[in-house]
Amino acid sequence: MTTLDAPRTLVHEPGPAAGEWWRDAVIYQVYPRSFADGSGDGIGDLPGITARLDHLAALGVDAVWLSPFYRSPQADAGYDVADYRDVDPLFGTLEDFDALLTRAHGLGLRVIVDLVPNHTSDEHAWFVEALAAGPGSAARERYLFREGRGEHGELPPNNWQSIFGGPAWTRLPDGQWYLHLFDTRQPDLNWEHPEVRAEFEDVLRFWLDRGVDGFRIDVAHGMVKAPGLPDWAGHVSMIEGSELAHETAEHELHEHAGDRVEEVTGAGNQGPMFDQDGVHEIYRAWHRVLAAYDGDRALVAEAWVEPLSRLARYVRPDEMQQAFNFAFLATLWHAPSLRDVITASYRASDSVGAPTTWVLSNHDVVRHASRLGLPVPGSRPNGIGPDDEQPDEELGLRRARAATLLMLGLPGSAYLYQGEELGLPDHTALPDDVRQDPAFFRTGGAERGRDGCRVPLPWAADEPGFGFSPTGATWLPQPAAWRSYAADAQRGVPGSTYETYREALAVRRAEALGSGGLAWLDSADDVLDLVNRDVRVVANLGVEPVTLPAGSALLLASGPVAHASDGALVVPGDTTVWVRA
């Protein structure tokens, strides 16, 4: 058993306790179709969200991020937008959105909405016009139409592959091809066209005028492509952490890789279609749009880029306010690797004066309660893997709670994905005939897709559909075992996952940890030991217990802890504690 007590190494200086709200906010992601259904059709909607906002206020988050609710044929669950200025009838009306916004602001919750600028739906008025206008038309200049290669133009313009599998080009009957880095029904826009840039600045103003507090930018590292659209032999994926985990698992689990952190973390998927310098001109223009409005409005980048120094370019003072830290999400459950990526994250974000934005789960990755229960814990963020590598649910939850307490103890902003406060695992046993993710179909089932993390939430243990819908209907089936995860089964229950989250957020706010500093304490290889203001955060990722000196005042623990006969605090494996420093 190791006793922890060592000198400090300062990594990140504390900031002012009162700054722009987004610098230290805890933001809760709502995936509308799976949060709460008010209409009874089994699909979540805006009135359902409004009715459940009290849950988020009681939890203690600062803001809500809404995944797309715009008019859409739903080929990719709303990330194929047909009209950026209207609500899809599936989710309600513009009046329903206004009511949601009013209620959220009344509860002290800010609201961030999703923006999808890399591509539109094939049912967007611009693309419909482009198809009708034909080759050489002005309407086609708003998208990336090209002539094919080969003697008769029968080959795609280049060798790019879709992130959802298969070629990134589709040929039309008139012979031209159009680019879609995602599904065939999501044609990429031409961001060199001035009409495209002007249109999206107007879309920003439309929602800012309604009172939104910011935008999460989908595929923020996309939009601008390399001149000439050159061939590229690299593997295209939004989530490369899974490959990193498999290729380096043994090394990462047993060796310190500090000098490699800038090279091995992140997506590694730029190529000629991502992270081009031209995207930054767009965000500088958007920054000016938001700056014309009161209230510290924010832009948040979904940018899978590496190294972290490249990610920091998105959050320079005249560009966006936040960028998701996917390097942290994709790191294995391994103390030296996590320490390295945390340290490198502050080094990168501090260099441009931006907050570091932490995240463990979202609508595109396996929930961390399942990911951390895999044989190589933390691997495969974009898929569970073969049947013989199913997660250990109990172990995954224990580690997930520990990981969350570590994350919430770090200075900066943090994102929570709906249902993680209940400890939800992925629904790994979804039958193929109910899956809806286009990635599943375009890869012939080789990629299981993202449906498992999008299953409707359980609100009430003893109601049909666990209270998700007044009729009991759910657009994806819920596992029977989710009864024990239901929100009403956890509220007020000491030590439940919900109460642990709620207490952590209360302490985080009371101690101003989001705007604090970080100093590492020397520790055992399996332990992360840090001080943030007056709180010491100790995460034991190993098997053997570690002890804190007698008199350590426990503020919060992710799981059961014990006291030795001399009063020392005993922290078991896969457990994080907060104590008074």
Side-chain angles (χ1 to χ4, degrees):
M1 186 179 294
T2 304
T3 299
L4 300 177
D5 199 11
R8 307 179 182 189
T9 302
L10 184 65
V11 172
H12 172 71
E13 295 275 5
E20 296 97 336
W21 69 269
W22 39 265
R23 287 190 173 274
D24 60 359
V26 175
I27 301 170
Y28 184 103
Q29 181 189 357
V30 166
Y31 190 70
R33 64 171 48 228
S34 299
F35 188 71
D37 171 23
S39 68
D41 64 358
I43 299 174
D45 48 37
L46 298 183
I49 296 169
T50 303
R52 296 287 187 181
L53 287 175
D54 285 343
H55 170 81
L56 303 185
L59 184 62
V61 300
D62 302 296
V64 180
W65 153 33
L66 301 174
S67 291
F69 50 81
Y70 309 112
R71 217 170 252 282
S72 164
Q74 304 295 317
D76 183 25
Y79 282 91
D80 49 319
V81 180
D83 186 342
Y84 290 88
R85 296 178 182 83
D86 199 8
V87 174
D88 194 283
L90 192 68
F91 301 121
T93 63
L94 274 172
E95 290 72 24
D96 290 330
F97 176 82
D98 292 339
L100 186 160
L101 190 64
T102 298
R103 177 60 177 157
H105 285 167
L107 291 169
L109 299 169
R110 290 182 167 85
V111 176
I112 293 172
V113 297
D114 229 308
L115 189 65
V116 187
N118 179 72
H119 49 264
T120 71
S121 164
D122 62 347
E123 295 186 16
H124 190 283
W126 276 3
F127 195 73
V128 173
E129 180 187 359
L131 293 183
S137 64
R140 289 205 174 182
E141 291 300 314
R142 300 185 186 118
Y143 293 89
L144 292 168
F145 284 88
R146 295 290 186 273
E147 300 297 331
R149 297 188 292 190
E151 184 179 355
H152 304 290
E154 72 277 9
L155 300 176
N158 65 27
N159 67 349
W160 293 2
Q161 296 294 298
S162 165
I163 288 167
F164 286 169
W169 296 90
T170 289
R171 195 180 193 190
L172 297 171
D174 59 33
Q176 278 202 317
W177 299 74
Y178 69 88
L179 178 70
H180 52 86
L181 291 181
F182 294 86
D183 190 64
T184 55
R185 301 195 60 188
Q186 293 169 290
D188 278 46
L189 286 160
N190 173 18
W191 272 88
E192 303 299 335
H193 198 299
E195 284 187 44
V196 174
R197 299 197 179 208
E199 169 70 2
F200 275 87
E201 289 184 20
D202 191 70
V203 168
L204 291 174
R205 293 187 184 97
F206 177 86
W207 293 103
L208 288 166
D209 288 342
R210 299 193 91 86
V212 304
D213 300 284
F215 302 87
R216 176 264 189 186
I217 310 304
D218 186 63
V219 196
H221 58 316
M223 292 126 85
V224 176
K225 280 69 175 176
L229 310 183
D231 280 352
W232 188 60
H235 173 64
V236 182
S237 173
M238 290 295 287
I239 303 166
E240 289 287 313
S242 57
E243 291 196 357
L244 171 66
H246 285 297
E247 292 172 4
T248 66
E250 291 303 314
H251 171 77
E252 294 287 351
L253 286 171
H254 299 293
E255 289 191 35
H256 191 286
D259 58 345
R260 298 176 59 242
V261 67
E262 280 286 332
E263 299 172 5
V264 303
T265 56
N269 66 344
Q270 281 80 245
M273 65 283 290
F274 288 126
D275 197 30
Q276 300 298 305
D277 287 345
V279 299
H280 299 287
E281 178 186 339
I282 296 168
Y283 299 134
R284 283 189 287 271
W286 289 9
H287 183 102
R288 292 191 291 271
V289 171
L290 267 66
Y293 289 80
D294 295 332
D296 296 331
R297 314 297 174 102
L299 294 168
V300 186
E302 183 214 24
W304 289 86
V305 300
E306 68 169 2
L308 286 163
S309 57
R310 293 288 297 183
L311 182 65
R313 300 173 79 236
Y314 288 79
V315 288
R316 289 176 289 193
D318 62 346
E319 295 192 36
M320 300 204 201
Q321 282 69 33
Q322 295 184 344
F324 292 123
N325 189 341
F326 293 126
F328 176 73
L329 181 152
T331 300
L332 298 174
W333 188 239
H334 176 231
S337 298
L338 283 166
R339 177 169 171 151
D340 288 340
V341 78
I342 291 168
T343 300
S345 297
Y346 284 116
R347 184 166 64 243
S349 58
D350 286 352
S351 72
V352 293
T356 300
T357 303
W358 309 103
V359 62
L360 285 166
S361 286
N362 64 36
H363 66 291
D364 281 332
V365 303
V366 174
R367 289 180 177 274
H368 65 287
S370 290
R371 207 167 64 240
L372 294 175
L374 288 168
V376 178
S379 66
R380 295 188 174 174
N382 61 339
I384 287 294
D387 291 340
D388 61 351
E389 288 191 2
Q390 290 298 302
D392 180 324
E393 191 167 316
E394 181 180 348
L395 177 62
L397 178 57
R398 186 163 71 248
R399 286 173 170 165
R401 288 163 53 115
T404 296
L405 216 56
L406 169 65
M407 178 181 77
L408 293 177
L410 298 172
S413 180
Y415 278 74
L416 308 179
Y417 178 51
Q418 63 177 39
E420 71 169 84
E421 78 278 16
L422 307 178
L424 291 184
D426 253 52
H427 189 354
T428 59
L430 272 175
D432 291 353
D433 62 356
V434 304
R435 292 185 180 273
Q436 299 191 26
D437 188 348
F440 173 77
F441 299 102
R442 285 182 61 84
T443 61
E447 185 173 314
R448 303 304 289 169
R450 301 160 293 177
D451 294 312
C453 67
R454 300 176 176 184
V455 174
L457 298 190
W459 292 100
D462 296 322
E463 293 182 13
F466 299 130
F468 170 73
S469 166
T471 62
T474 61
W475 69 280
L476 285 174
Q478 302 159 307
W482 277 20
R483 183 178 187 277
S484 63
Y485 292 101
D488 69 347
Q490 297 195 48
R491 289 195 194 98
V493 178
S496 69
T497 303
Y498 169 81
E499 291 298 337
T500 299
Y501 269 70
R502 188 186 60 76
E503 291 173 24
L505 292 176
V507 174
R508 187 181 192 275
R509 177 172 293 178
E511 301 289 337
L513 299 184
S515 59
L518 185 145
W520 291 116
L521 280 69
D522 292 340
S523 61
D525 287 344
D526 292 331
V527 177
L528 292 169
D529 193 358
L530 64 96
V531 173
N532 180 355
R533 294 197 188 274
D534 294 326
V535 175
R536 184 177 182 182
V537 178
V538 179
N540 181 10
L541 281 62
V543 176
E544 295 299 319
V546 297
T547 63
L548 295 174
S552 298
L554 181 65
L555 297 173
L556 191 61
S558 66
V561 296
H563 287 86
S565 57
D566 62 355
L569 181 65
V570 181
V571 183
D574 296 320
T575 303
T576 298
V577 297
W578 293 0
V579 300
R580 182 63 65 191

